[in-house]
Structure formats: structure tokens, C-alpha cells
Amino acid sequence: MKFRNFKMVGYVVYGRGSFNQLDEILAPQRKGDAPMVFLLDHYFENKPLARRIPLRGKDKLIFADVSYEPKTSYVDRLAGDLKQQFGAVSGIIGIGGGSAMDLAKAVSLMMTNPGSSADYQGWDLVKVPGVYKVGIPTLSGTGAEVSRTTVLTGPTKKLGMNSDFTPFDQIVLDPELTADAPVNQRFYTGMDCYIHCIESLTGTYLNEFSKSYGEKALQLCQEVYVKKSGWDADSDDKLMMASYAGGMSIAYSQVGVAHAVSYGLAYLLGTKHGIGNCIVFDKLEEFYPEGVREFKKMVEKNKIDIPQHITKGLTDEQFNTMIDVSLVMKPLWENALGKDWEKIMTRDRLRALYEKL
């Protein structure tokens, strides 16, 4: 096809308190006594949100361990356990940050597709729709609620299951759920959104569809992190919509250098996505001069620490592993640097970039 026929999220509900409608939203999707399975970020264990989940019948609540970004082995284990325990389920509901939502998408797909989730790391390898899946963000910025990928660390690479079967059937955007997020974590995921916008708006894949969403998301990020003097409920509202629009902006384009480089960090060092993007973006003046200048102002204004020298002391083999993982991300590099990107981003240049981190 000359034009991408883009699959979007099926249903969207937005508003303060909309989480309270979850029982009502799920009811028509229940299949007999097959359970709904809730994957809740383990951060919420023994917290009020866990008690608000509308469990019915055989429904299962799993506190998902998202200390690290989802691994294919964890996805396979969860899907295997659910199939063994229940046979079939009515749906998978992911509640948390980007990792919890990505985990839900991946488990949904592995309930119906054979083999390991590692077999589907790439573009358009998933051939069978997953079970019904819902995404409910408790952090804003990743765009995982709208993306057509679920980012996984596999045995040999960190790469998403990018497919038309990956997006959620339903998302619930309730800014109240993000109100008590830890300040640093909120900043890192918010910057994930900001970086999406910079990479999308300066990329070679840019078109008016991406530009419309990207410009709005960037404006909302600037209102929250540059113009406001403190954090309030309006900040939560704006950042949640920035996350949605930022995710949409890359759906029809792509991200760029920061994401491509941070994938290598995550694979080797287990660096989480939001903070990894910040560590990398902090050193990308040559690619995104205006964006990086503004980013540094936001870091200073919000009194956030960006870790430094995290690659110090790594071996040649470790650097090569990160470089290999990063260079697999061909669409990201092409969006950032054009069709001749391989002549521009040589292994030596990428090594020098990693050494700066």
C-alpha cells in the first residue's frame, strides 16, 4: 500500500472519575464465566486503587512486576499460566505505566498466537487477534495507551510486537489516577512524550496527520513543564492528553535518535524507558538543538536529576551489544536521518555517542 492503513484504539473514555465506569464498560465483553484478568502495576499493591478494581466471578488480579521493562519470558509465563488455569479468558486489562500496558497487550496476543512472544518481535509478524484488551494509564507520557507496539526485551533484542492487532480495544483515560505519581517518575514519562514530539516533528516521515497531533502534544508539555509554576490537577489533565496526542503523532510517523539509542541501554543495563530517553536526549544537541536546550531548562526548573556516566567502564563487547540492538531500529534511524542513515550513523559514531552517556 502507498498509504498506511492505520489501526487505532477501538474505544476511548476520558474524564476525571471515568475509572468508576470500568465494571460497566467490561460487562458486555464478558464471555460466559471466562474471567477478566487485571494486570496491575505492583506499585499499587496495598494501595487504594487495588481495592477499586471491579472483580467478578473467576476474575483474577495479578500484581505485575514492572521493576524492569517486560521480558518475553515474563509474557510467555503469564500467558501460559492463564491458559493452564482458565483455558480461555474474556480479556486482559493493563493498569499502570507504559510497562504494565505493554505487558497487557503482549499477554493478550499470546493468549491466541502460538510459540513465544520473542517470535513476534518485529513488524507485522502477529497474524491472529489477541483477546479483548484494555489499557488504563496511571502515568502519562509513554503513549503506550495508543501505540501499535508493545516493547519487549527478548533473548537477543529489545523490539516491539508492532502490528495492527496490538492496539487496545478500549482505553480509560482518568487523570485522577495519575495524581499521586512520584515526581521524578512523572517527569521521566512526561519527557518521553516531549521527546516523541521533538523526534516526530523534526523527522523525515512527518506529514500533516503526525504534525497536528505532535504540535498539540508539544504545546501541552510546554504548558505543564515550562509555563506552570507548580503541579496541580490541570497539569494531570493536560499531560494525559499530551500523552495521547504524542502517541498518535508517532503512529503515522516515527520516533528518532533518542529512542533508538535508549533501546540499547535498556537491553544491556535494564534502564527504564522514560529515564533512558532523558539520559540520551540530554546529549543530543547535534541532532535536536532547540529541543535539547528546552529540555535542559525543564530539567533545571523541575529540579530533576539526570544520571550521568552510566556507560563508564563498559567493555567493547557490551558497547557492541548496545550498538547491535540500536541499529536494528531501522525505521527510527531513517525517520531521524533519512534514507542514507547507515552512512551517517556508523558504528564508530554510535559508539562515541554511547560513550558520552
Side-chain angles (χ1 to χ4, degrees), residues 4 38 52 110 174 184 215 220 239 241 283 337:
R4 279 188 57 203
F38 298 85
R52 293 177 59 196
M110 294 317 298
D174 183 346
N184 268 25
E215 287 178 342
L220 289 167
L239 193 58
M241 286 318 300
K283 301 289 191 285
L337 305 174

Side-chain angles (χ1 to χ4, degrees), residues 54-347:
L55 298 170
R56 302 264 175 239
K58 293 183 186 173
D59 287 0
K60 188 175 181 74
L61 171 59
I62 297 172
F63 290 103
D65 184 356
V66 288
S67 307
Y68 300 98
E69 291 182 332
K71 289 184 166 58
T72 53
S73 55
Y74 188 37
V75 171
D76 295 347
R77 180 157 57 82
L78 283 172
D81 289 350
L82 291 173
K83 282 189 260 194
Q84 189 173 14
Q85 186 175 357
F86 300 113
V89 301
S90 289
I92 306 284
I93 298 92
I95 308 170
S99 291
M101 289 188 285
D102 277 353
L103 189 62
K105 286 189 276 190
V107 172
S108 160
L109 293 172
M110 294 317 298
M111 293 300 293
T112 53
N113 284 274
S116 164
S117 50
D119 302 333
Y120 302 99
Q121 286 183 279
W123 279 267
D124 300 306
L125 300 174
V126 181
K127 302 301 180 191
V128 180
V131 298
Y132 175 76
K133 53 191 175 298
V134 181
I136 306 174
T138 61
L139 278 169
S140 293
T142 66
E145 62 273 23
V146 291
S147 76
R148 77 186 293 272
T149 189
T150 166
V151 180
L152 300 176
T153 302
T156 60
K157 58 196 168 196
K158 180 183 172 184
L159 188 60
M161 299 166 75
N162 295 270
S163 82
D164 282 348
F165 300 117
T166 307
F168 285 114
D169 300 295
Q170 169 82 56
I171 58 175
V172 178
L173 304 178
D174 183 346
E176 283 182 359
L177 300 183
T178 68
D180 300 321
V183 173
N184 268 25
Q185 189 61 45
R186 186 171 62 198
F187 183 85
Y188 297 141
T189 54
M191 286 303 102
D192 189 16
C193 177
Y194 177 81
I195 293 165
H196 283 162
C197 297
I198 299 297
E199 291 179 320
S200 173
L201 291 169
T202 57
T204 63
Y205 287 9
L206 187 65
N207 55 37
E208 284 301 324
F209 184 99
S210 301
K211 191 176 175 188
S212 302
Y213 282 107
E215 287 178 342
K216 184 61 181 177
L218 184 61
Q219 177 202 326
L220 289 167
C221 285
Q222 289 165 333
E223 285 179 24
V224 169
Y225 287 109
V226 178
K227 294 175 184 171
K228 278 180 173 284
S229 56
W231 200 273
D232 56 15
D234 178 66
S235 308
D236 288 323
D237 292 353
K238 282 186 164 66
L239 193 58
M240 184 159 271
M241 286 318 300
S243 180
Y244 178 89
M248 290 296 291
S249 78
I250 57 170
Y252 224 112
S253 64
Q254 256 303 347
V255 283
V257 179
H259 278 74
V261 175
S262 79
Y263 271 60
L265 287 182
Y267 181 81
L268 183 75
L269 303 176
T271 314
K272 281 202 152 188
H273 188 69
I275 192 169
N277 281 341
C278 289
I279 290 167
V280 178
F281 197 69
D282 191 48
K283 301 289 191 285
L284 295 185
E285 292 96 334
E286 62 181 308
F287 300 102
Y288 307 110
E290 289 177 22
V292 174
R293 274 197 297 273
E294 187 169 59
F295 168 77
K296 287 178 183 292
K297 284 181 191 167
M298 291 188 283
V299 168
E300 188 178 345
K301 182 184 175 194
N302 290 276
K303 299 181 173 61
I304 301 295
D305 289 325
I306 304 297
Q308 306 290 325
H309 312 302
I310 66 166
T311 60
K312 189 177 180 182
L314 293 183
T315 65
D316 288 343
E317 185 182 1
Q318 287 173 312
F319 275 113
N320 282 328
T321 296
M322 291 193 295
I323 290 166
D324 289 342
V325 169
S326 179
L327 291 177
V328 167
M329 313 305 295
K330 293 180 181 182
L332 283 64
W333 288 113
E334 185 176 316
N335 179 51
L337 305 174
K339 290 197 181 297
D340 291 332
W341 68 268
E342 286 171 285
K343 295 174 185 168
I344 300 167
M345 187 49 67
T346 61
R347 291 185 72 89

